[in-house]
Amino acid sequence: MEYIRQLGNQIVTESGKEILLRGFGLGGWLLPEGYMWKLYTKCDRPRRMEALIETLCGKVYAKEFWKRYYETYITEKDIIQIKREKFNSVRLPINARKLYHIDENGMQLNLEGVQYIDKCVGWCKKHEVYMILDMHGAPGGQTGTNIDDSEKDLPELFIEARYQEELIKLWTLLASRYEGEACIAAYDLLNEPLPKWFSQYNHFVLPLYRRITEAIRQVDQKHMIILEGVHWATDFEIFEEIIEKPFDENWMLQFHKYWSTPDKESIASYIELSKKLNVPLFMGEGGENNLEWYTAFFKMLEDQKISYSFWSYKKMEAINSPISFRQPRGWDSLIQYIDGEATLSKDEAHKIFDAFLFEIAHISTNEAVFRVLKRQVPLDIMAEYFDAYHVVASHTSPVAFRGSTGVDIQFQNGKIGEPDYKRYGGEAQPEEEKLCIQLHTGEWLRYDFYVEQLEDLVIFVQVKALKEQGRLIMTVDDVDFHPCQVEQVYSTIRVEVGNKAQGKHFIKAIAQEDVMITALSIIIK
């Protein structure tokens, strides 16, 4: 594999080939998060999950449990699967607490913890998948919340100077260890530092980034550096000073995006700053939503040449992650115990956690998630998620979504406001929140899709006429033309597409007379 690096606002290989990182965050492995096990509040972070198992099962069992967990949760098979699905990268969250100790000789790496990073590096190298090393839980905690394994619910990294020194030294040790590994794409210095309720410490973040980078560059000049904004990596204000005082020669900016409109307008400020600084942009976490949202958002990122990492690759009983495992027998009893509503014997707890270890090794694959991230058929696309458009006259729609396009986007029932893109857990939007496109005479919309192999396809279009009758022409690749008569009630029109070869294709919906479109489905016949 070749090292990759920054070239202006692009990422390129050593030989100069532009590359877009497309992959998955391996959340829940080296830094388990309670919600991925359907545990909340009282067991929401690693140290509390560890205490739970040790209390219920004893130290000997707990030690063996975590050994089996780390060896099972993510394996080489997962990297093979990601590669087979035509993705090229993973983002590996790590927990500093597991990676070092301090003795009379100073700070040392804990080889027991680092071995799993080593294994992942080896798998990625073997299967030519890039890996981003993500400091998800820094010494002391950078967020003061569960996601960084915070001890006191405070961002102690920015409160106690010793933790900053430990972080700088830890990154130096890691960079020294992995300096020669071309499969490592970048070092992600801090995950989601400082939510807004700790914003009084924001001014410490960029200086710390500079100190960490200076230390890394003493031992590693090859790997990219990634900087995340504050407040869940959504606020880039701390980077404005880099316009006047440059940061590094090989770095990029990272933002995260959850539960908000999946359009270019919503990330315009990130795009603008990346252009000002002439650095690449990386969407390091986005997901935890439904398939409709994925269909829109990840295609938009690729169109904007923004690299991304889907969050998260694997969770318990999840329909919105590509990999899922069943809730083990007895898990409800465990939750009742955590909530103080039941008791558990040691024997019962052993059985529950043994069942858990069995389930994480016997996963199910949600092919639909892989498909929508690639826009691969069979596929449903909501009308408002068009990839290109032509309007005869620019419209000001009552919906604050994709406002810069001038396309006439409406609520299906005529209400004014914003659709709820914060739906969690893969639920579809309720009927009253669905959007439609009023496509006026002479206007068109284009929808891109991908075919994995030669397929016989059919398109279904949900449409109605705005007047007594409407006329719509559906074209495929600007070659196949299918005229459709449209009535003044919502109906589904079937369009026979025929065989399409492997590769990228597109559909255009062209209005000969005014129509209203709500969705398209592209299925394999």
Side-chain angles (χ1 to χ4, degrees), residues 418-484:
E418 185 69 17
D420 182 7
Y421 290 101
K422 299 181 180 180
R423 305 286 295 187
Y424 190 87
E427 301 174 39
Q429 293 176 10
E431 194 67 24
E432 65 270 14
E433 292 178 355
K434 287 187 177 178
L435 301 180
C436 63
I437 304 288
Q438 292 197 10
L439 199 57
H440 304 283
T441 302
E443 299 181 342
W444 56 259
L445 304 171
R446 192 190 82 204
Y447 300 88
D448 300 337
F449 63 96
Y450 180 79
V451 175
E452 178 62 27
Q453 57 189 6
L454 182 66
E455 300 285 8
D456 195 6
L457 303 180
V458 178
I459 304 169
F460 292 94
V461 187
Q462 296 175 21
V463 64
K464 80 170 185 177
L466 288 176
K467 300 174 184 176
E468 288 186 8
Q469 278 197 328
R471 284 182 60 80
L472 183 71
I473 294 177
M474 300 297 296
T475 76
V476 183
D477 299 335
D478 279 343
V479 175
D480 302 324
F481 289 78
H482 304 272
C484 306

Side-chain angles (χ1 to χ4, degrees), residues 4 8 44 58 96 104 146 159 198 242 311 419 492 502 509 523:
I4 61 173
D44 60 353
E104 64 275 8
N146 62 299
I159 297 172
F198 291 124
I242 298 178
W311 186 271
T492 301
Q502 180 186 33
I523 70 167

Side-chain angles (χ1 to χ4, degrees), residues 391-436:
V391 294
V392 174
S394 184
H395 302 274
T396 301
S397 300
V399 179
F401 175 65
R402 307 201 72 176
S404 67
T405 65
V407 175
D408 194 353
I409 305 176
Q410 306 275 345
F411 273 104
Q412 191 166 314
N413 66 353
K415 77 172 187 176
I416 296 174
E418 185 69 17
D420 182 7
Y421 290 101
K422 299 181 180 180
R423 305 286 295 187
Y424 190 87
E427 301 174 39
Q429 293 176 10
E431 194 67 24
E432 65 270 14
E433 292 178 355
K434 287 187 177 178
L435 301 180
C436 63

Side-chain angles (χ1 to χ4, degrees), residues 14-181:
E14 289 176 289
S15 57
K17 182 180 178 181
E18 185 178 356
I19 184 172
L20 201 66
L21 297 174
R22 301 163 61 251
F24 298 92
L26 302 181
W29 181 27
L30 302 186
L31 196 157
E33 295 190 43
Y35 85 95
M36 295 184 183
W37 297 13
K38 298 193 179 299
L39 303 179
Y40 304 94
T41 311
K42 295 179 182 178
C43 283
D44 60 353
R45 66 199 71 184
R47 64 178 70 243
R48 294 177 182 175
M49 297 155 85
E50 292 163 14
L52 171 72
I53 297 171
E54 188 171 313
T55 298
L56 282 170
C57 303
K59 290 184 178 181
V60 174
Y61 178 92
K63 183 176 181 179
E64 181 61 23
F65 172 90
W66 287 109
K67 181 177 184 295
R68 291 169 61 192
Y69 178 85
Y70 293 134
E71 291 176 352
T72 306
Y73 195 84
I74 296 293
T75 70
E76 184 177 2
K77 290 180 181 179
D78 294 294
I79 304 303
I80 293 171
Q81 169 99 347
I82 289 167
K83 179 72 172 184
R84 184 169 59 242
E85 294 288 348
K86 296 183 169 59
F87 294 89
N88 65 4
S89 61
V90 294
R91 179 171 174 258
L92 179 62
I94 56 177
N95 188 351
R97 182 167 64 89
K98 299 292 185 178
L99 299 179
Y100 74 96
H101 65 274
I102 299 173
D103 57 25
E104 64 275 8
N105 297 315
M107 181 184 286
Q108 311 290 328
L109 289 176
N110 285 340
L111 298 184
E112 185 177 350
V114 173
Q115 67 170 315
Y116 299 107
I117 302 176
D118 291 347
K119 286 182 179 181
C120 196
V121 168
W123 303 331
C124 289
K125 187 191 313 186
K126 179 179 177 180
H127 300 290
E128 297 188 334
V129 171
Y130 284 104
M131 188 182 88
I132 294 156
L133 202 55
D134 156 35
M135 188 61 70
H136 219 75
Q142 73 275 12
T143 71
T145 67
N146 62 299
I147 63 172
D148 64 11
D149 197 20
S150 169
E151 182 178 8
K152 301 175 183 176
D153 288 324
L154 290 170
E156 293 186 277
L157 176 68
F158 298 103
I159 297 172
E160 294 194 32
R162 66 184 177 95
Y163 287 128
Q164 294 192 23
E165 300 305 320
E166 290 175 17
L167 177 62
I168 293 167
K169 180 61 176 177
L170 177 57
W171 266 122
T172 305
L173 292 172
L174 291 171
S176 297
R177 189 175 187 85
Y178 300 117
E179 181 269 340
E181 299 293 353

